[in-house]
Amino acid sequence: MFGIQPRDVSDDDFNPRRRRWSLWTTPPASMPTTSHTSTPRKGHANTYHMSVKFEDLCGFMVEGNVDDVNVLNEVRERIREQGRVWWALEASKGANWYLQPRISSNGGQGVISVTSLKLSVLTNTVTLRRLIRKGVPPALRPKVWLSVSGAAKKRSTVPETYYDELIRATEGKTTPATRQIDHDLPRTFPCHPWLNSEEGQASLRRVLVGYSFRDSEVGYCQGLNYVAALLLLVMKTEEDAFWMLAVLLENVLVSDCYTDTLSGCHVEQRVFKDLLAKKCPRIAAHLEAMGFDVSLVATEWFLCLFSKTLPSETTLRVWDVLFNEGAKVLFHVALAIFKMREDDLLRIQHIGDVIDVLQTTAHHLYEPDELLTFAFDKIGSMTTNTITKERKRHETVVMAELDQRTRRLGSLKMDA
Amino acid sequence: MAASAGSKIRNAKLVLLGDVGAGKSSLVLRFVKGQFVEFQESTIGAAFFSQTLAVNDETVKFEIWDTAGQERYHSLAPMYYRGAAAAIVVYDISNQASFTRAKKWVQELQAQGNQNTVVALAGNKADLLEAREVQIEEAKTYAQENGLFFMETSAKTATNVNDIFYEIAKRLLQGQAAQNPQAAGMVLSQRPNERVVSAASCCSS
Ligand SMILES: Nc1nc2c(ncn2[C@@H]2O[C@H](COP(=O)(O)OP(=O)(O)OP(=O)(O)O)[C@@H](O)[C@H]2O)c(=O)[nH]1
Ligand SMILES: [Mg+2]
């Protein structure tokens, strides 16, 4: 097995940043650095509730219980196994087999025409899709993400110096976006040592400021700081993170999620509500009767692409599928979080408890496969076509409402 | 803390509004957990917290929506302030623009919100005296003219943080006593005792 591995599947391979960014050290998650306040006693019941601080798979210092640490170690082991599967495929299909043209479910990028469709392409597309749902090994994420998302293609359409020139053009300039970015840099995942460092913040700044100059309509929207930060941790180079951010906002997600009124985000929320009613009718009816609007919690999920909600490796597993299959993945995952706790949610009578259940569930989803199994097997399929139609329908209403609201607020005279 | 048998628990939805970085999340964190962090993560959409406060023999359970301050999140705000029993509009005393923004929030609440919503104005970061841009008199006068109650607070030093929530709780209870809640648009909801006690005991630690 190990014989055919083209590279060493060691811890380092899955934490390649260690080599680039010396600031990061990665002790195994099995060694909680702090234990809780009272003296721990032997016995499972006690250790389970013991709160520990530990470093997760992406280097975030997080707090959880001992069970979370154990789950994380199992996940780490599974990532290794999954890595072996990928290396084996590289050995049999050739390195970079997944960079071949394929049938895209993501629309636009990398699509090949039906006439040139070969059986091998079809097989690869199916294989890759299945494989990606089981997780891309961390060491391969930069390459795989750039390819399947269409970011590599996007970059290939501009001169190689594009990013450097863009950054140079931003130097010394102050805009409302740069002011807000500067305000947010130290407030972006301060629990991650590298992001909390000067070097990390300077990198994040360049990516965000660069993007705000690329698309002045988006400029900078809070939330993108978390997305870009996580992209940096995965992609390892600023430029790759930048292109991932670009493809995400310009191709993967629906448009206008982050522009002035967040209209795209409003649309997605309404589509989500309809989907919940369709896929989890009992939960939807129960919450509706309580007067609970699911957008209260789901808005942040969609704007931060779960990066503030799920544990980091679980978020990245969601992103693996998001980049390969498109924005509908967010619906699958959001529905799954509700569906996983259906019985509890149906018993709850109070809004605050609904939020507690959802938040606690999401924060402790250290087992990505559990979530993804729910998201894809238990929720059932949704065609992109139907979702597109739903979006169109809601878009008209949302735009009219936002417009009306703007006018109403505009008519309130300011006594400045 | 479970409320003792016989005491009433009232749920009150409370929303924090205000400019980005004014310290909304910090005020909530101070009130709910007694903590302050130098770099509070920026809020996206909104964050939810709950905390109970005892006022005389009654208990108010606040359901707190801490909203995001960036201008473009404005379009999400109605979802959070709709039906709120109370609102705290926060500005940063070291930032004049945040005071202007606070006035806009007050205006919007007056125009769109519930008439009976108790609105408090919090001049936060009161510890930053040297950087003060908004004079206390100016804010006080504005608050009086608009029927708000006003306090300068500091999430950092904890000054007036519990006090502002306590004052809101008191006013909510007074308002509740003075009027028929149904007619008043139900600012406070009273629930069967045992359910609320269990809810309170799991959320307020
Ligand atoms: N000196 C001082 N700093 C404060 C105080 N309250 C908050 N801060 C700091 O101000 C910054 C912003 O605080 P937040 O609580 O995140 O502000 P916010 O209003 O929630 O901001 P958004 O979520 O982005 O809308 C943080 O770095 C806090 O540490 C205070 O009372 N005194
Ligand atoms: Mg905040």
Side-chain angles (χ1 to χ4, degrees):
Chain A
M1 181 86 214
F2 282 85
I4 53 160
Q5 283 168 42
R7 47 202 108 172
D8 176 35
V9 192
S10 67
D11 244 15
D12 258 22
D13 230 17
F14 294 101
N15 292 302
R17 58 185 181 272
R18 193 190 273 179
R19 291 192 296 263
R20 282 189 72 89
W21 291 323
S22 52
L23 271 167
W24 294 354
T25 53
T26 314
S30 55
M31 302 209 293
T33 48
T34 356
S35 52
H36 76 148
T37 43
S38 68
T39 330
R41 271 174 292 153
K42 281 229 157 75
H44 183 75
N46 285 321
T47 48
Y48 178 85
H49 293 292
M50 195 168 94
S51 169
V52 289
K53 271 211 171 106
F54 54 94
E55 190 177 297
D56 77 1
L57 302 186
C58 292
F60 290 90
M61 287 309 298
V62 291
E63 220 168 296
N65 53 48
V66 171
D67 207 41
D68 295 334
V69 179
N70 292 334
V71 170
L72 209 53
N73 283 330
E74 282 164 29
V75 170
R76 191 192 299 273
E77 188 46 47
R78 216 151 343 109
I79 288 175
R80 261 188 217 119
E81 282 161 25
Q82 188 63 9
R84 286 179 202 121
V85 175
W86 282 75
W87 311 136
L89 270 167
E90 283 210 351
S92 68
K93 286 176 181 275
N96 301 341
W97 64 275
Y98 43 81
L99 308 185
Q100 306 298 311
R102 56 198 189 89
I103 306 153
S104 172
S105 47
N106 201 354
Q109 315 286 329
V111 187
I112 57 158
S113 72
V114 180
T115 45
S116 65
L117 184 76
K118 281 195 253 129
L119 193 63
S120 66
V121 173
L122 185 68
T123 324
N124 277 358
T125 306
V126 174
T127 310
L128 188 61
R129 187 182 155 105
R130 214 180 46 226
L131 212 54
I132 286 180
R133 284 197 183 181
K134 285 193 179 159
V136 180
L140 289 182
R141 273 195 178 121
K143 212 161 60 158
V144 173
W145 282 10
L146 282 171
S147 165
V148 300
S149 67
K153 183 105 185 268
K154 200 178 212 29
R155 173 162 59 190
S156 71
T157 61
V158 296
E160 270 191 24
T161 51
Y162 177 92
Y163 181 72
D164 291 337
E165 279 167 22
L166 178 69
I167 297 308
R168 217 168 301 131
T170 68
E171 273 163 20
K173 298 222 172 77
T174 309
T175 64
T178 64
R179 267 191 294 271
Q180 187 58 52
I181 290 165
D182 286 329
H183 191 261
D184 283 349
L185 290 174
R187 307 204 291 155
T188 306
F189 294 134
C191 54
H192 192 287
W194 184 75
L195 290 170
N196 207 15
S197 74
E198 237 170 77
E199 185 197 357
Q201 290 181 15
S203 267
L204 181 59
R205 184 179 197 281
R206 283 187 293 268
V207 172
L208 291 170
V209 170
Y211 196 79
S212 78
F213 276 74
R214 175 181 168 92
D215 185 344
S216 55
E217 237 183 280
V218 171
Y220 169 67
C221 178
Q222 286 188 313
L224 294 179
N225 51 329
Y226 299 105
V227 174
L230 209 47
L231 283 173
L232 264 174
L233 295 183
V234 172
M235 303 305 289
K236 288 178 283 194
T237 75
E238 256 172 69
E239 190 172 349
D240 286 348
F242 171 85
W243 286 110
M244 285 310 297
L245 186 66
V247 83
L248 192 57
L249 300 193
E250 294 160 19
N251 304 86
V252 178
L253 301 177
V254 296
S255 48
D256 290 320
C257 271
Y258 299 95
T259 48
D260 61 345
T261 55
L262 311 179
S263 62
C265 173
H266 285 276
V267 171
E268 292 297 80
Q269 288 302 314
R270 295 193 189 200
V271 176
F272 176 58
K273 271 175 224 173
D274 287 353
L275 287 172
L276 188 75
K278 210 156 108 195
K279 298 281 183 182
C280 314
R282 292 203 302 161
I283 300 178
H286 181 69
L287 296 181
E288 168 111 44
M290 276 165 63
F292 181 83
D293 182 342
V294 293
S295 302
L296 291 169
V297 286
T299 304
E300 187 209 71
W301 297 354
F302 281 72
L303 282 170
C304 299
L305 310 176
F306 297 101
S307 63
K308 261 173 86 73
T309 313
L310 297 171
S312 62
E313 176 59 21
T314 308
T315 305
L316 298 186
R317 286 286 302 276
V318 170
W319 290 13
D320 285 341
V321 194
L322 170 70
F323 291 132
N324 191 46
E325 298 185 33
K328 71 169 185 180
V329 167
L330 301 176
F331 293 127
H332 278 276
V333 173
L335 289 169
I337 296 174
F338 279 89
K339 186 86 179 168
M340 288 174 103
R341 300 299 299 269
E342 177 156 25
D343 293 345
D344 297 307
L345 289 172
L346 291 177
R347 266 196 301 270
I348 287 172
Q349 298 297 333
H350 200 264
I351 288 177
D353 298 340
V354 174
I355 296 163
D356 277 348
V357 162
L358 294 173
Q359 278 177 353
T360 311
T361 304
H363 285 318
H364 291 276
L365 273 170
Y366 282 94
E367 172 54 278
D369 290 304
E370 191 189 355
L371 175 65
L372 293 183
T373 304
F374 258 94
F376 296 106
D377 299 350
K378 304 245 166 88
I379 295 299
S381 69
M382 300 183 252
T383 68
T384 307
N385 243 348
T386 333
I387 293 180
T388 309
K389 261 189 227 139
E390 286 297 296
R391 282 182 181 137
K392 285 237 168 68
R393 190 166 65 83
H394 284 294
E395 201 173 66
T396 328
V397 186
V398 165
M399 294 315 276
E401 280 182 24
L402 288 173
D403 207 49
Q404 198 186 10
R405 206 179 111 76
T406 311
R407 267 184 281 123
R408 214 168 40 218
L409 289 174
S411 68
L412 298 175
K413 287 258 149 43
M414 253 316 278
D415 47 310
Chain B
M1 60 141 280
S4 56
S7 79
K8 293 179 197 147
I9 296 189
R10 295 160 192 276
N11 290 292
K13 178 175 172 182
L14 182 150
V15 64
L16 283 102
L17 302 164
D19 205 358
V20 63
K24 299 176 293 297
S25 302
S26 299
L27 284 172
V28 177
L29 189 70
R30 173 60 81 186
F31 173 57
V32 174
K33 295 195 179 151
Q35 297 169 352
F36 177 77
V37 292
E38 206 55 50
F39 297 112
Q40 176 66 40
E41 285 194 0
S42 54
T43 310
I44 307 304
F48 177 84
F49 301 87
S50 66
Q51 177 69 304
T52 50
L53 251 191
V55 180
N56 304 326
D57 64 334
E58 289 182 290
T59 305
V60 172
K61 184 179 173 206
F62 282 118
E63 291 166 348
I64 304 168
W65 285 103
D66 164 27
T67 63
Q70 197 184 9
E71 182 67 45
R72 66 186 78 185
Y73 282 92
H74 196 150
S75 65
L76 296 172
M79 169 164 82
Y80 299 104
Y81 66 63
R82 195 174 297 135
I88 305 181
V89 177
V90 185
Y91 67 92
D92 168 355
I93 69 151
S94 67
N95 178 344
Q96 185 70 42
S98 75
F99 186 54
T100 309
R101 186 76 199 283
K103 290 184 190 167
K104 285 195 187 161
W105 277 119
V106 170
Q107 219 174 16
E108 180 168 342
L109 280 174
Q110 285 167 345
Q112 315 282 337
N114 189 320
Q115 293 303 307
N116 300 299
T117 305
V118 171
V119 183
L121 181 67
N124 191 43
K125 308 199 187 178
D127 55 291
L128 298 178
L129 282 176
E130 273 142 57
R132 179 189 285 281
E133 284 186 7
V134 183
Q135 295 312 314
I136 195 162
E137 284 309 320
E138 185 188 357
K140 223 181 237 169
T141 312
Y142 173 78
Q144 263 160 15
E145 286 167 3
N146 288 275
L148 324 169
F149 83 87
F150 165 69
M151 278 185 189
E152 283 201 345
T153 58
S154 168
K156 188 170 183 171
T157 64
T159 310
N160 278 347
V161 177
N162 286 348
D163 310 64
I164 200 164
F165 284 93
Y166 188 81
E167 183 62 30
I168 290 171
K170 240 171 55 190
R171 288 182 187 223
L172 286 173
L173 293 170
Q174 280 162 8
Q176 172 89 350
Q179 53 202 201
N180 173 352
Q182 257 71 34
M186 260 294 288
V187 288
L188 283 176
S189 60
Q190 192 172 359
R191 325 193 126 263
N193 228 357
E194 92 273 350
R195 186 194 293 156
V196 175
V197 171
S198 69
S201 57
C202 76
C203 300
S204 62
S205 50

